[in-house]
Amino acid sequence: MFTALLESLPFPPRIPLMGGPTPIQKSRLAWNDDSLYWKRDDLTPYGLGGNKLRKLEFLMAEALSQRADLIITSGASQSNHARLTAVVSAMLKLPCVLVIPGEIPTEWNGNLLLDRLAGAEIVACGEEPLDKAVTRISNARKSQGYHPYTIPLGGSNALGSMGYFLAFFELLKQAEEQGWVPRTLACSVGSAGTLAGLVAANAFLPQPLRIVGVSVWQSADQLRPQVETLAIDILSLLHTPCPLAPFEIADQFIGPGYGLPTQESSEALIECFRTDGILFDPVYTAKGVAAVKHLLQHEPRKCPEAIVFWHTGGGPAVFDKHYYTDLLRYT
Ligand SMILES: Cc1ncc(COP(=O)(O)O)c(C=O)c1O
């Protein structure tokens, strides 16, 4: 299925970080009659997994082709993207600088601990906007003789998001082999690359899937043009411009803000851990699951269908004190 299409497209080079397709797990939760599947990108091979490995396959290949000798990226202190960038940099024997907002942490837990174990240098930029700090640090390292490669927030440029263009077809192939048909795809949305990759790939289907992105941060009005631009850029990198199919963005599950759990997300995280044995991220994937639960319980449907929630990882964040303290309130 789509083999000829995929073989004909001019994909940029990538380094292998995936080790094969990630598993699909049928949920035991009974939120309605639909079949709910988890696409387990939390089980990608390295550094405790997550969606960023698919992006790093392309981004790190570009870094190597440019003979970079330093990787720089940024993110929140519990960034899953920063953790996986640190781990893959270490595996490639490249030093890595992670730029985080605020002050240097006093407690090294969750992803921050793993960043340190991976040998990353962590630079806190205080009140300075992250993008400005990254440019400043990159220029400073250049003047010291380094040749840095900068990865954008969340690895979400067109090149990195290409990873989710490929992932979409991986899912379709697996579902076909298993004898079921996905109709709705949902995922959490931060910097938009994951959703954009899926939306770009959906453009090739004669009958596109319903795709729902659950925002953990920005409003739907802010996100929509970002996703569209990224998806169009992916298609033009592949020299195959074609019209995008409609997609949905749900922004009513953000709660008090980025990085802050909600009662629904914390309860969904615990329910899934107890029922399906899967650990979600408290502020990315758990908000996505809370949205899927709401959709299944409240949306009238004509017939049962197969829904896939893309588990983009992030479990290690539960070992951050703020997050586990919150979660313990619901146990
Ligand atoms: C666990 C997890 N899920 C989803 C996302 C969102 O992915 P994207 O930034 O591609 O929108 C992130 C982003 O960092 C994440 O860490």
Side-chain angles (χ1 to χ4, degrees):
M1 194 192 215
F2 297 105
T3 315
L5 169 77
L6 293 175
E7 281 172 359
S8 72
L9 292 175
F11 287 103
R14 59 188 166 130
I15 56 166
L17 294 173
M18 290 295 298
T22 54
I24 292 177
Q25 179 175 336
K26 189 160 188 203
S27 176
R28 300 165 66 216
L29 288 156
W31 286 329
N32 74 1
D33 292 340
D34 292 352
S35 301
L36 173 62
Y37 295 88
W38 310 117
K39 175 68 171 152
R40 302 283 312 266
D41 275 14
D42 58 317
L43 298 180
T44 53
Y46 302 115
L48 296 190
N51 58 343
K52 307 308 177 200
L53 286 176
R54 292 194 193 263
K55 300 179 180 182
L56 288 166
E57 284 198 328
F58 287 101
L59 295 167
M60 287 300 196
E62 184 173 71
L64 293 178
S65 76
Q66 294 179 1
R67 300 190 184 284
D69 53 11
L70 176 67
I71 304 294
I72 304 178
T73 198
S74 59
S77 61
Q78 281 301 326
S79 165
N80 299 300
H81 160 70
R83 177 216 343 138
L84 286 174
T85 304
V87 171
V88 175
S89 300
M91 291 167 67
L92 296 173
K93 306 219 176 316
L94 291 168
C96 175
V97 175
L98 303 178
V99 185
I100 61 170
E103 305 307 318
I104 284 289
T106 46
E107 291 185 32
W108 297 91
N109 48 29
N111 282 315
L112 274 171
L113 169 66
L114 302 175
D115 298 341
R116 288 279 298 273
L117 297 187
E121 178 188 351
I122 291 153
V123 179
C125 69
E127 298 292 308
E128 187 181 8
L130 274 182
D131 53 344
K132 289 210 165 59
V134 166
T135 308
R136 175 176 57 76
I137 291 161
S138 171
N139 288 337
R141 298 296 161 107
K142 278 181 197 159
S143 64
Q144 292 167 2
Y146 281 101
H147 185 41
Y149 180 84
T150 300
I151 297 182
L153 199 72
S156 285
N157 55 16
L159 182 65
S161 308
M162 193 76 79
Y164 273 86
F165 180 94
L166 282 174
F168 181 90
F169 294 104
E170 174 183 307
L171 168 74
L172 292 191
K173 186 161 181 268
Q174 285 174 300
E176 190 188 37
E177 284 164 2
Q178 293 172 13
W180 55 279
V181 182
R183 297 256 183 250
T184 298
L185 260 188
C187 68
S188 300
V189 187
S191 57
T194 303
L195 177 61
L198 300 176
V199 166
N202 203 27
F204 287 90
L205 261 56
Q207 280 188 304
L209 308 190
R210 177 183 182 197
I211 299 187
V212 184
V214 183
S215 177
V216 301
W217 165 29
Q218 304 176 83
S219 72
D221 288 346
Q222 289 171 307
L223 266 178
R224 181 167 293 281
Q226 295 171 33
V227 176
E228 285 169 355
T229 305
L230 265 177
I232 289 166
D233 288 351
I234 295 169
L235 294 172
S236 65
L237 264 187
L238 294 172
H239 306 305
T240 50
C242 55
L244 302 177
F247 61 93
E248 297 163 43
I249 296 177
D251 61 3
Q252 65 271 44
F253 299 91
I254 301 171
Y258 174 74
L260 300 171
T262 61
Q263 180 175 344
E264 291 74 24
S265 64
S266 298
E267 285 176 351
L269 184 150
I270 292 170
E271 190 178 1
C272 291
F273 194 55
R274 292 182 182 175
T275 309
D276 282 342
I278 298 182
L279 184 59
F280 285 97
D281 174 295
V283 289
Y284 280 98
T285 39
K287 286 186 181 176
V289 175
V292 167
K293 180 174 181 180
H294 188 270
L295 187 146
L296 293 178
Q297 287 183 332
H298 293 95
E299 217 180 65
R301 325 185 77 75
K302 292 202 180 70
C303 59
E305 66 167 12
I307 297 202
V308 181
F309 179 76
W310 215 297
H311 187 346
T312 42
V318 299
F319 300 109
D320 173 83
K321 193 171 177 184
H322 293 106
Y323 294 146
Y324 68 67
T325 308
D326 170 77
L327 286 166
L328 286 171
R329 293 166 49 216
Y330 300 96
T331 55

